[in-house]
Amino acid sequence: MNPYAALSLNTKTVNSWTLKQAVDGAARAGLGAIGPWRDRVQEVGVAQAAKMVSDAGLRVSSLCRGGFLTAIDDDGLDDNRRALDEAAELGAPELVMVMGGIPDRDLIGARARVEERLASLVPYALDRGVRIALEPLHPMYVADRAVISTLGQALSMAEPHPAEAVGVVVDTFHVWWDPDLESLIATAGERGRISSYQVCDWLVPMEADPLLSRGMMGDGVIDFGSIGSWVRDAGYRGDIEVEIFNEKVWATDGDQVIETMKQRYLDLVAAPHVHENT
Amino acid sequence: MNPYAALSLNTKTVNSWTLKQAVDGAARAGLGAIGPWRDRVQEVGVAQAAKMVSDAGLRVSSLCRGGFLTAIDDDGLDDNRRALDEAAELGAPELVMVMGGIPDRDLIGARARVEERLASLVPYALDRGVRIALEPLHPMYVADRAVISTLGQALSMAEPHPAEAVGVVVDTFHVWWDPDLESLIATAGERGRISSYQVCDWLVPMEADPLLSRGMMGDGVIDFGSIGSWVRDAGYRGDIEVEIFNEKVWATDGDQVIETMKQRYLDLVAAPHVHENT
């Protein structure tokens, strides 16, 4: 069995690569899947991107990203419907959504807009057969990027909608600190809501730009063993995406990044039986 | 009525000032209280500091800080007993505790050590008549500074102990993002656990050093009106401490910082009736 069958390369991890390079690199390394960002897909067009991935024998684990539903003037629905179309055409089962920050000081109002606009996207997502994957971002991003800050909050926002329409993303960087993480992951699993499991590490000290502080697994302080076992115990058997925003990683040769990622995946992230079989 | 009767100057806000300068500055500005850090107190010794504050007609709102109970080798208890002694001699009703980060990758283990060591400090705190004020720090500090990240978690850790022995700090910078904040503040009030209300703003973008990203109220995006009303509705009538870590504020003349702080306090933080009476 290929020990990397569930390992997915998010295109952000090899930020200087084109989609073609990323697809070829992932295939060459024996990974099972790729998680493209929309701008990478748009470089070649959705139809061509879909063919490229399929020809390489890869799955699309998720499409990054829709969302940004908090603006006061623009409700963002048109762009999100396009993103759902793209995901459907690409064969991506999940569209990751980052919800957007606060345009003013009204956090409560911004969250209310998200709930309302999410509801209006659900029928479209069901029609396209693509799940909306709500991504809670670390609370340090609440002002400028995402008003969903915890897995609990994402689950509450998902709850009014069918599990096949709205799920949640478990990204170690964003949720590792949460004192309720174990039970929240279990709840997400019981409700069939885990859309995606993304991994990267929390660096100490943080980088000066908090957006670029995501590190390679093992370079920081996250206990991947515990979190990974909670995710598995919750029944998640999908792809595990590695998504790293980090200048040093981006300055490293892509193939070398993937090699390191594979090794750290086996050492720290993969289920123990995967490790034993290699 | 003095509109600044409940306003307290945390000595960190005027970081370049000695304790004497801070006490004089607070008194000159008509504030009701001061919140000293231990290093400022130690400059002159506890007895002298107590006399200085009392001679100036100020209250001590809280003493910053004890805690750091997560180390593997040193349990930190001796230093915390000294801090409780200092608080008692100073007349500080509350000793703020920042719990410490993780010395390894074991976040769960670090939290367990905090619970155990906290329990062993409670009888000493009761004996000294000083309450231990658990401060949840923003989740971005969990690795290097505080394994308590939410008000809910702080309340859970306080719960086994009497309300007169262990309370919680509500610091806007640390908790403003929390989707459950309103109900958590209400719960903290119902249980008689609110030790301190501290205010400062969340700047966008963050400063490169996340420790120095606390801003003057109004310079960032926090909705002080909502949070302040929740704290008042929870029954809190104690001092409101302004604690700002920020290079620009620190480079500004202390008297000018206090003037700005007073104005922003009236405009944004104080209860509406205080504002109307001025």
Side-chain angles (χ1 to χ4, degrees):
Chain A
M1 183 196 145
N2 173 10
Y4 309 111
L7 181 56
S8 177
L9 176 70
N10 184 288
T11 59
K12 268 290 168 195
T13 303
V14 287
N15 198 40
S16 67
W17 274 2
T18 62
L19 182 67
K20 179 79 170 88
Q21 286 176 301
V23 165
D24 289 348
R28 200 160 53 233
L31 311 188
I34 191 161
W37 277 54
R38 290 177 71 198
D39 54 353
R40 283 280 171 269
V41 170
Q42 282 154 9
E43 284 170 1
V44 296
V46 185
Q48 180 61 26
K51 183 174 185 318
M52 199 184 280
V53 173
S54 150
D55 286 352
L58 297 173
R59 286 182 309 283
V60 177
S61 47
S62 71
L63 179 64
C64 280
R65 63 190 186 183
F68 293 93
L69 293 175
T70 56
I72 289 167
D73 48 347
D74 175 2
D75 64 15
L77 297 181
D78 284 347
D79 186 60
N80 277 284
R81 283 189 279 263
R82 278 194 298 274
L84 287 163
D85 291 341
E86 290 165 20
E89 188 173 353
L90 206 56
E94 313 275 348
L95 173 67
V96 173
M97 280 200 189
V98 168
M99 305 322 289
I102 50 175
D104 49 23
R105 290 186 174 85
D106 182 14
L107 182 52
I108 295 167
R111 286 173 174 151
R113 288 194 292 281
V114 164
E115 288 181 4
E116 186 189 321
R117 292 167 184 176
L118 173 63
S120 78
L121 286 171
V122 164
Y124 200 86
L126 284 169
D127 182 63
R128 290 298 179 280
V130 173
R131 180 152 70 168
I132 293 169
L134 303 177
E135 181 160 20
L137 256 54
H138 193 282
M140 71 183 167
Y141 300 125
V142 70
D144 49 9
R145 203 148 302 252
V147 297
I148 298 187
S149 303
T150 66
L151 206 51
Q153 190 189 3
L155 286 170
S156 295
M157 285 216 184
E159 194 58 23
H161 310 293
E164 64 269 31
V166 185
V168 299
V169 178
V170 178
D171 180 313
T172 54
F173 180 86
H174 295 307
V175 302
W176 75 283
W177 59 271
D178 191 329
D180 298 323
L181 188 58
E182 181 174 5
S183 69
L184 289 169
I185 289 174
T187 301
E190 280 161 23
R191 296 183 184 170
R193 299 271 185 188
I194 304 181
S195 287
S196 173
Y197 179 42
Q198 299 188 344
V199 293
C200 79
D201 215 333
W202 179 274
L203 301 179
V204 178
M206 284 170 56
E207 298 287 334
D209 181 346
L211 285 176
L212 301 181
S213 196
R214 297 169 66 99
M216 183 63 75
M217 300 82 76
D219 287 353
V221 297
I222 293 180
D223 172 7
F224 291 99
S226 294
I227 299 178
S229 71
W230 300 337
V231 170
R232 280 190 299 276
D233 289 351
Y236 182 76
R237 295 291 179 272
D239 293 318
I240 300 177
E241 243 183 71
V242 176
E243 186 188 39
I244 301 178
F245 294 58
N246 182 294
E247 293 286 3
K248 286 188 202 104
V249 171
W250 289 350
T252 305
D253 169 71
D255 286 311
Q256 194 181 321
V257 168
I258 294 175
E259 280 313 302
T260 304
M261 175 181 113
K262 287 167 66 177
Q263 192 57 52
R264 301 291 177 84
Y265 173 78
L266 283 190
D267 292 346
L268 301 168
V269 177
H273 72 87
V274 170
H275 202 186
E276 283 156 19
N277 286 353
T278 60
Chain B
M1 182 196 143
N2 173 10
Y4 309 110
L7 181 56
S8 177
L9 175 70
N10 184 288
T11 59
K12 267 291 166 192
T13 303
V14 287
N15 199 40
S16 67
W17 274 1
T18 63
L19 182 68
K20 180 80 169 86
Q21 286 176 300
V23 165
D24 289 349
R28 199 159 56 232
L31 310 188
I34 191 161
W37 277 54
R38 290 178 71 198
D39 54 352
R40 282 281 170 270
V41 170
Q42 282 154 10
E43 284 170 2
V44 297
V46 186
Q48 180 62 26
K51 183 174 185 316
M52 198 185 283
V53 173
S54 148
D55 286 351
L58 297 173
R59 287 183 307 283
V60 177
S61 46
S62 71
L63 178 65
C64 281
R65 62 189 184 183
F68 293 93
L69 294 175
T70 56
I72 289 167
D73 46 347
D74 175 3
D75 63 15
L77 297 181
D78 284 347
D79 186 61
N80 277 285
R81 285 188 207 102
R82 278 193 298 274
L84 287 163
D85 290 341
E86 291 164 21
E89 186 172 354
L90 206 56
E94 313 275 349
L95 173 68
V96 173
M97 281 200 190
V98 169
M99 306 321 292
I102 50 175
D104 49 23
R105 290 186 173 84
D106 181 14
L107 180 52
I108 295 167
R111 286 172 175 152
R113 289 194 292 280
V114 164
E115 288 181 5
E116 187 188 320
R117 292 166 185 177
L118 173 63
S120 77
L121 287 171
V122 164
Y124 199 86
L126 284 170
D127 183 64
R128 290 298 179 279
V130 173
R131 180 152 70 169
I132 294 169
L134 303 178
E135 180 160 21
L137 256 55
H138 193 283
M140 71 183 166
Y141 300 125
V142 69
D144 48 8
R145 203 148 303 253
V147 297
I148 298 187
S149 304
T150 67
L151 205 51
Q153 190 188 2
L155 285 170
S156 296
M157 284 214 185
E159 193 57 24
H161 310 292
E164 64 269 30
V166 185
V168 298
V169 178
V170 178
D171 180 313
T172 54
F173 179 87
H174 294 307
V175 303
W176 75 283
W177 59 271
D178 192 328
D180 298 323
L181 188 58
E182 181 174 5
S183 69
L184 289 169
I185 288 173
T187 301
E190 279 160 24
R191 296 183 185 170
R193 299 270 184 187
I194 304 181
S195 287
S196 173
Y197 179 41
Q198 299 188 344
V199 292
C200 79
D201 216 334
W202 179 274
L203 302 178
V204 178
M206 285 170 57
E207 299 288 335
D209 181 346
L211 285 176
L212 302 181
S213 197
R214 297 168 67 99
M216 183 63 75
M217 299 83 76
D219 288 353
V221 297
I222 292 180
D223 172 8
F224 291 99
S226 294
I227 299 178
S229 71
W230 300 338
V231 170
R232 280 189 299 276
D233 290 350
Y236 182 76
R237 294 292 178 273
D239 293 317
I240 299 177
E241 241 182 72
V242 177
E243 185 188 41
I244 301 178
F245 295 58
N246 182 294
E247 293 286 2
K248 286 188 202 104
V249 172
W250 289 350
T252 305
D253 169 72
D255 285 312
Q256 194 181 320
V257 168
I258 293 175
E259 279 314 301
T260 306
M261 175 181 113
K262 287 167 67 176
Q263 192 57 52
R264 301 293 177 84
Y265 173 78
L266 283 190
D267 291 347
L268 301 168
V269 177
H273 73 87
V274 171
H275 202 188
E276 283 155 18
N277 286 353
T278 59

